[in-house]
Structure formats: structure tokens, C-alpha cells
Amino acid sequence: MESTIYLDYAATSPMYPEVIEVMSEAMQTTFGNASSIHQFGRKSRGYLDEARAVFARSIHAKSNEIIITSGGSESDNTAILKTAEKYESLGKHIITTNIEHEAVLKPMKYLESKGFDVTYLPADKDGFVSAEQVKAALRNDTILVSIMSGNNEVGSIMPIAEIGSILKNSNPAVVFHTDAVQSYGSQDIDVDEMNIDLLSVSAHKIGGPKGIGFLYCRENIKLPSLILGGEQETKRRAGTENIPAIIGFQKAVELMMKDKKQRNVYYRKLKEKLINNLKQAGVDLEINGSYDSSLPHIVSIYLKGIDAERLLIHLDLVGIAVSTGSACTAGNVDPSHVLSAMFGVEHSAISETVRISLGLGTTEKDIDKVVIELSKIIKRLK
């Protein structure tokens, strides 16, 4: 096999070399428990505090509003389950969408089994949910709204600021959570301007290590800890902090913030090149969702008449890695719930769609190779 091409960054990203470097050094030199009062603990605590400040600045929050977690799933579960637990006496109605990540949808299903009433707002054919839909669904007993910032399969960007404004002006007691795991690396986020109360982030989507993330929690919202045990994270998340991973996460955030605008422009250029060149090669395709209003690194392509699973296998054999959708549902025989919500369960796009996602290291030569190989494979499969 010749050189491989990785185009599944929405599933996970390789770590920046700089991240690996600082983590390797930290694993050798920084082993103290950040809760210990001796010099080894104080050294770790210093790194923890510094990283927390960097995370906070990246979303215009305060340092004491950042809770270190094991990643997006824990952050989502904490935000949803513990908000429901804390505010249950005020109401049992929750609003979300039908295209959220499973880390949101499964906690919602769990809460339904406990007597909560969850409204799943339907996405339109472009994968969008409007602020007006949220407003129309609000009730006197609504306690939580959870809407993802950007969709992980089709890249649709939700009107988070508009939703936040509606909630602040009409229902200020409602807690507003957004899963920003897929959008954090490319979108500007200001939690105060956008009126966000809870926000989930994961490091491995932005060139950081796996198993680390954070939950932003507005300081006036005191959620109980999801994990019971020690009093780390000011009693908000039990468990000894993984300092090397936190240091690596900090470095990834610093690199992300340094060149985010340039990367976004570059990714959009690559996406345009990919789509135009595929069309010029005679590939019969449609873009799922809105091309112009999507995350810059994600494109979902409906390849008419081509079974996506077979296509992925052929691409893998020539060293090209793409996806049919969320890697978190790999092995699941059920069709994509996102595409099903957008098109209906019988639409052929559900089984004939590939997701291509760009990231660190993707080049124009990679796109050229993908176009050539994809075109050849499609002709063979047809």
C-alpha cells in the first residue's frame, strides 16, 4: 500500500507533534497528585490552573467555570443528567433535537424512563433546527434546552446565539446546554454573548489526547458531581486529574486558537476543490445539508447508486480513510439517525452517503488522490 490518506477527522484527530512533546515531558517530570500540598502536588496544581485558564479564555469564560472531564460523553452526561436531577422540582420538560450525538440522545432516553418529558425538535432537510422551533416548544415546566453547536455528520451549524437570546429574554430560568465537541475547533464561542450555561468539549477532536475534555458550567449553576468520590474540581468531578493529558489538551487549544481562521479558510478551499473535481470527473453526487452554512472541515456526500459500506472498504484498500457517519455508532446496523431525520428512513441517501472530514495534515495532493481513486472505484462499483 502506498501512502495513506486520513479523512475522518470528525471521528478523531491525530495529536499535534507539539502536544506529544509536552505530554511526553510531563509524563516524565510531573507525576504529583494535584490535591497534594507538597511541592510535587503544587507543581501539578500549577499546571492544572494554567490549563484551566487557557480553556476558559478560549470560550470567554471564567477559570472557575471550567470542570475537567474525561471528554465529550462525560460532559454531556453530566450536563443533562445532573441538571435534570437538580431542577426536577421546577419541572420535568426538556428540549433537544433529533440529530444530537448519542451522548445527548441516550441520557435523554434514560430521563424519559424516569418520568421526564423530552421534546425532540425535528431537523429540516439541511440538518438545521431554528430558534423559532425552540421558542415554540418552551413550556412553563421546561428546565433544560440542549442543542448541539455543529452536527458531527453533516456539519450543520445551529443558531446557538439566537436560541440563547430567546431563552434569556423569555425563559431565563431555563438552563441552556450545547454540545460543542465538533464545533469548538472552528467556531468562535463566547458563552456570555451567546447566553450559554453549559458547554461540552473534547480534546481529541482538535489534535489533543483522547480521554480528556471539559464542561463549562456557568458559576451560578451548581451541579452535583456525576462521579462520586474525592473532592477534585471543587467537588464537581471526582477523580485524580490526569496532568499530562491536561497539559497536552492545553497545548492543542493554544495551537487551535493561534491559526483557527486560516485553517477554516483552507478547509473550505479543500472542500470546494473536492466537490468541484468530483463533479468534473462525472461523479453523480449531492451535498447533504447546506454547503455554505456548515462546519468548514465536514462534508457529507450522497453518491447516488453507490453502497457506502462497499465504497469505504474499497477506499480503505487503497489507503484512504473516510466514514459513513458517526464513528460512535460503528458496528450498529441501524441507519444514520441524522440522515433519517433529514430525509426519512426510506431515502437512498442513508445507505449511499460518505462523510469526508478534513484536519491537520490534509493537503491539496490528498484531495487530488481521493478524487482519482474515488472516481475509479465508483466506476467499478457501477
Side-chain angles (χ1 to χ4, degrees), residues 149-158 181-184 186-187 264 267-268 271 290-299:
S149 300
N151 185 265
N152 52 300
E153 288 195 32
V154 298
S156 49
I157 300 172
M158 302 301 172
V181 168
Q182 201 61 245
S183 64
Y184 176 67
S186 63
Q187 303 301 293
N264 287 349
Y267 293 159
R268 291 199 182 280
K271 273 171 59 172
S290 171
Y291 180 81
D292 295 324
S293 302
S294 63
L295 296 172
H297 66 296
I298 293 177
V299 59

Side-chain angles (χ1 to χ4, degrees), residues 96-99 121-124 127-131 133-134 147 158-159 163:
T96 188
T97 80
N98 60 358
I99 61 167
L121 301 176
D124 66 16
F128 291 107
V129 168
S130 71
Q133 283 177 272
V134 175
I147 310 287
M158 302 301 172
I163 294 169

Side-chain angles (χ1 to χ4, degrees), residues 8 10-12 152 323 325-331 355:
D8 198 17
T12 194
N152 52 300
S323 172
S326 174
C328 300
T329 56
R355 179 189 67 183

Side-chain angles (χ1 to χ4, degrees), residues 16 25 36 40 58 64 67 69 91 153 159 166 209 214 217 230 251 260 263 274 291 294 296-297 300 323 337 361 375:
Y16 283 103
E25 181 180 353
S36 300
F40 297 96
S58 72
N64 65 351
I67 304 170
T69 69
E153 288 195 32
I166 286 174
F214 71 75
C217 182
K251 177 58 71 172
K260 181 163 61 177
R263 278 188 292 106
L274 171 68
Y291 180 81
S294 63
H297 66 296
S300 176
S323 172
H337 72 279
S375 301

Side-chain angles (χ1 to χ4, degrees), residues 13-14 16 19 181 184-186 201-208 249 252-253 256:
S13 62
Y16 283 103
V19 169
V181 168
Y184 176 67
S186 63
V201 169
S202 185
H204 77 99
K205 303 293 189 182
I206 62 163
F249 187 10
V253 172
M256 174 197 81

Side-chain angles (χ1 to χ4, degrees), residues 51 76 87 125 139 156 161 171 183 187 193 195 199 214 217 296 301 317 337 356 359 367:
D76 285 342
Y87 296 102
K125 62 180 178 61
R139 304 186 332 204
S156 49
N171 296 70
S183 64
Q187 303 301 293
E193 285 190 3
N195 298 297
L199 179 141
F214 71 75
C217 182
I301 308 174
L317 290 172
H337 72 279
I356 293 177
I367 300 302

Side-chain angles (χ1 to χ4, degrees), residues 9 20 31 44 52 62 112-114 124 140 159-160 163 172 175 187 198 205 220 224 229 236 240 266 288 324 336 368:
Y9 286 84
I20 296 172
F31 57 85
S44 291
R52 198 187 309 277
K62 300 173 184 175
E112 285 183 295
S113 75
K114 298 299 181 181
D124 66 16
N140 290 334
I160 297 301
I163 294 169
V175 176
Q187 303 301 293
L198 301 165
K205 303 293 189 182
N220 67 328
R236 298 174 297 178
T240 302
Y266 182 58
N288 298 322
T324 55
S336 161
D368 291 335

